[in-house]
């Protein structure tokens, strides 16, 4: 059914944000469980076709990591009807663009074509779902690709293992403790049988959401979707057991040595609620208060005024089951990491004890209004938002309604959340240091 939501709820709030247009969409299920979302927009002759699978780095196979990220690559190898290595060339030769990404919670594939090539996008994604070739050759090829990515983006990149270190300190049981890319020894040890079993378990229509957004005719597109995706057999129901972590009640201290850096980094990290909670959105706002822009509290204090840091950033990493909140700082000159820690703690304590000013709060609201508008300013952005809200939040309507959650946040909420989650005894203090020759 068409989601007709109130335009008044998405009207002009500030001149910087402009007008947030309602995103209308139709959603329904095929008999095999595939969830379909259609968003028609004829302002430009382009169409985005995307599929989001509810599988990510947290979904292990026989306790082996990295399978979902591996499949992000592997499912471009070819199908029964697309030759090896031809998937991407087919897209390029038809004027399209494409990408795929894997997070700890989901995998997302999309193509954007001229609108007269919309059917091609549907065929490609149906081929990926129904007819992939998962064989020794493709597995070996992509294993080398992933190893090179691991070397380039993690092991040989300055601060490349930062997120892995944060996750490992905040989680001890949940699969979020492991890197999204996985450990190479796990992929080396994986069998072809395990790869095929993993595909059968997670890459079925009942674990996927298809989004078509852009310039198309609804009736014609529904028929094409039924033709291409309707015959794909439904898979078994995916059973996910939530892995509960014990609360962190005592400060964790860790040191990591990185051979690729010259400057040390201080990382303060907390485990926080999952992305669907209101408190996760309050933490987004706290990050903005602390470190977005040169007038933010940490940047102005540590970088501009006191010249103690080259960089100070607060980041809210909202995952499906839990979140990870981190404050990162690079010292300037002879500033000690413990000095930065003391200065950062002063700002956290201010948030816990002082209500932010009306002026700062209004600026914060304006920032999130603008961010909301920008996220849905393109067909491909709308497509990803629709898929994300459906798969990870269980509520596609949030594409129009989530801004109301941010609007409902008060200065008292900011103070409450800072007191509830950002305490010293609940965090990991990580000293991310240059590796010396004598350090193993």
């Amino acid at each position: 059914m068409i989601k007709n939501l109130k335009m008044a709820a998405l009207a002009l709030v500030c001149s910087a944000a402009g007008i947030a247009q309602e995103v209308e969409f139709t959603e329904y299920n095929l008999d095999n469980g595939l969830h379909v979302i259609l968003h028609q927009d004829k302002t430009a002759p382009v169409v985005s076709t995307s599929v989001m699978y509810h599988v990510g780095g947290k979904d292990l196979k026989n306790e082996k990591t990295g399978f979902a990220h591996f499949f992000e690559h592997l499912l471009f190898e070819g199908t029964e009807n697309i030759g090896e290595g031809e998937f991407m060339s087919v897209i390029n030769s038809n004027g399209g663009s494409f990408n795929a990404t894997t997070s700890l919670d989901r995998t997302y594939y999309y193509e954007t074509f001229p609108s007269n090539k919309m059917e091609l996008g549907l065929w490609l994604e149906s081929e990926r779902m129904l007819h992939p070739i998962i064989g020794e050759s493709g597995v070996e090829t992509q294993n080398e690709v992933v190893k090179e990515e691991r070397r380039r983006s993690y092991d040989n990149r300055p601060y490349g293992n930062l997120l892995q270190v944060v996750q490992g300190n905040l989680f001890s049981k949940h699969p979020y403790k492991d890197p999204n890319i996985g450990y190479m020894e796990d992929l080396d040890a994986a069998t072809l049988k395990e790869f095929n079993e993993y595909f059968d378990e997670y890459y079925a229509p009942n674990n996927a959401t298809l989004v078509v957004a852009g310039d198309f005719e609804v009736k014609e597109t529904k028929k094409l979707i039924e033709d291409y995706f309707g015959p794909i057999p439904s898979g078994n129901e995916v059973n996910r057991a939530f892995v509960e972590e014990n609360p962190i009640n005592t400060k964790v201290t860790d040191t990591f040595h990185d051979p690729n850096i010259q400057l040390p980094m201080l990382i303060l990290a907390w485990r926080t609620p999952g992305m669907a909670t209101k408190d996760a959105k309050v933490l987004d706002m706290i990050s903005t208060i602390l470190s977005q822009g040169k007038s933010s509290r940490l940047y102005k204090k540590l970088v501009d005024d006191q010249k103690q840091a080259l960089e100070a950033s607060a980041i809210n990493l909202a995952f499906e089951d839990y979140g990870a909140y981190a404050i990162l700082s690079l010292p300037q000159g002879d500033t000690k990491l413990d000095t930065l820690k003391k200065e950062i703690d002063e700002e956290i304590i201010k948030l816990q004890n002082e209500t932010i000013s009306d002026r700062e709060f209004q600026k914060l609201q304006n920032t999130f209004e603008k961010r909301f508008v920008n996220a849905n300013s393109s067909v491909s952005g709308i497509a990803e938002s629709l898929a994300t809200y459906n798969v990870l939040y269980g509520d596609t309507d949030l594409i129009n309604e989530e801004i109301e959650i941010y609007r409902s946040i008060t200065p008292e909420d900011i103070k409450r959340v800072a007191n509830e989650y950002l305490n010293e005894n609940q965090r990991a203090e990580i000293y991310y240091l240059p590796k010396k020759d004598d350090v193993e």
Side-chain angles (χ1 to χ4, degrees), residues 38-170:
L38 305 178
H39 165 67
Q40 188 184 57
D41 181 352
K42 290 181 168 290
T43 57
V46 296
V47 63
S48 176
T49 304
S50 65
V51 175
M52 183 173 286
Y53 294 92
H54 198 175
V55 57
K58 71 181 179 190
D59 298 295
L60 311 183
K61 180 62 180 177
N62 297 331
E63 300 304 312
K64 295 186 178 76
T65 61
F67 271 63
H69 175 265
F70 191 85
F71 266 89
E72 176 197 321
H73 292 266
L74 187 61
L75 293 185
F76 279 103
E77 270 294 297
T79 73
E80 293 177 11
N81 298 302
I82 302 173
E84 183 177 349
E86 293 181 5
F87 207 104
M88 292 176 278
S89 64
V90 169
I91 297 171
N92 290 331
S93 64
N94 283 276
S97 59
F98 67 94
N99 206 349
T101 61
T102 306
S103 75
L104 289 166
D105 301 304
R106 97 295 181 267
T107 304
Y108 186 62
Y109 299 90
Y110 75 89
E111 302 86 33
T112 300
F113 283 109
S115 53
N116 63 346
K117 298 290 184 179
M118 184 265 293
E119 184 175 354
L120 176 60
L122 293 175
W123 176 69
L124 289 169
E125 289 303 330
S126 67
E127 278 292 299
R128 196 195 309 272
M129 189 180 294
L130 180 60
H131 294 132
I133 296 176
I134 304 172
E136 292 288 358
S137 174
V139 167
E140 290 176 4
T141 298
Q142 294 307 322
N143 202 8
E144 291 305 312
V145 171
V146 172
K147 284 180 179 178
E148 177 56 30
E149 182 180 346
R150 170 87 202 197
R151 288 189 288 267
R152 183 182 68 252
S153 300
Y154 291 76
D155 299 333
N156 298 330
R157 180 181 181 183
Y159 308 100
N161 284 293
L162 188 155
L163 184 56
Q164 179 176 324
V165 173
V166 169
Q167 291 173 226
N169 275 281
L170 294 182

Side-chain angles (χ1 to χ4, degrees), residues 286-422:
I286 291 175
S287 294
T288 299
I289 293 168
L290 290 176
S291 71
Q292 180 172 312
K294 292 185 177 181
S295 63
S296 60
R297 295 186 180 190
L298 288 180
Y299 190 95
K300 188 173 189 306
K301 176 182 181 180
L302 296 178
V303 180
D304 275 356
D305 293 347
Q306 299 178 182
K307 304 292 191 293
Q308 293 172 310
L310 294 171
E311 180 62 48
S313 299
I315 304 169
N316 183 35
L317 300 169
F319 308 134
E320 185 177 21
D321 297 342
Y322 290 99
Y325 192 88
I327 298 178
L328 322 172
S329 186
L330 290 171
Q332 180 164 242
D334 296 328
T335 305
K336 304 296 184 185
L337 294 186
D338 284 342
T339 299
L340 293 178
K341 181 171 66 175
K342 175 179 175 294
E343 299 291 346
I344 291 168
D345 279 339
E346 285 184 1
E347 295 306 312
I348 294 173
I349 291 169
K350 284 182 184 178
L351 284 172
Q352 293 172 332
N353 292 287
E354 302 173 12
T355 303
I356 68 171
S357 69
D358 291 342
R359 182 175 180 276
E360 190 173 19
F361 183 66
Q362 186 58 59
K363 179 181 177 183
L364 192 63
Q365 289 285 351
N366 293 346
T367 297
F368 278 83
E369 293 281 349
K370 186 174 182 179
R371 187 179 299 177
F372 174 76
V373 173
N374 289 342
N376 296 323
S377 61
S378 68
V379 164
S380 58
I382 289 172
E384 185 169 2
S385 292
L386 287 166
T388 299
Y389 287 127
N390 179 261
V391 173
L392 299 183
Y393 292 81
D395 184 1
T396 318
D397 283 326
L398 283 173
I399 194 167
N400 291 311
E401 297 175 347
E402 186 181 46
I403 190 60
E404 293 301 331
I405 301 175
Y406 284 105
R407 288 173 181 160
S408 73
I409 293 170
T410 66
E412 289 71 27
D413 285 323
I414 292 169
K415 187 175 177 181
R416 172 185 59 80
V417 167
N419 276 284
E420 188 166 350
Y421 303 109
L422 303 184

Side-chain angles (χ1 to χ4, degrees), residues 269-286:
W270 295 262
R271 190 195 310 142
T272 52
M275 59 171 58
T277 63
K278 180 177 179 178
D279 285 357
K281 293 170 177 55
V282 178
L283 287 162
D284 284 339
M285 287 192 160
I286 291 175

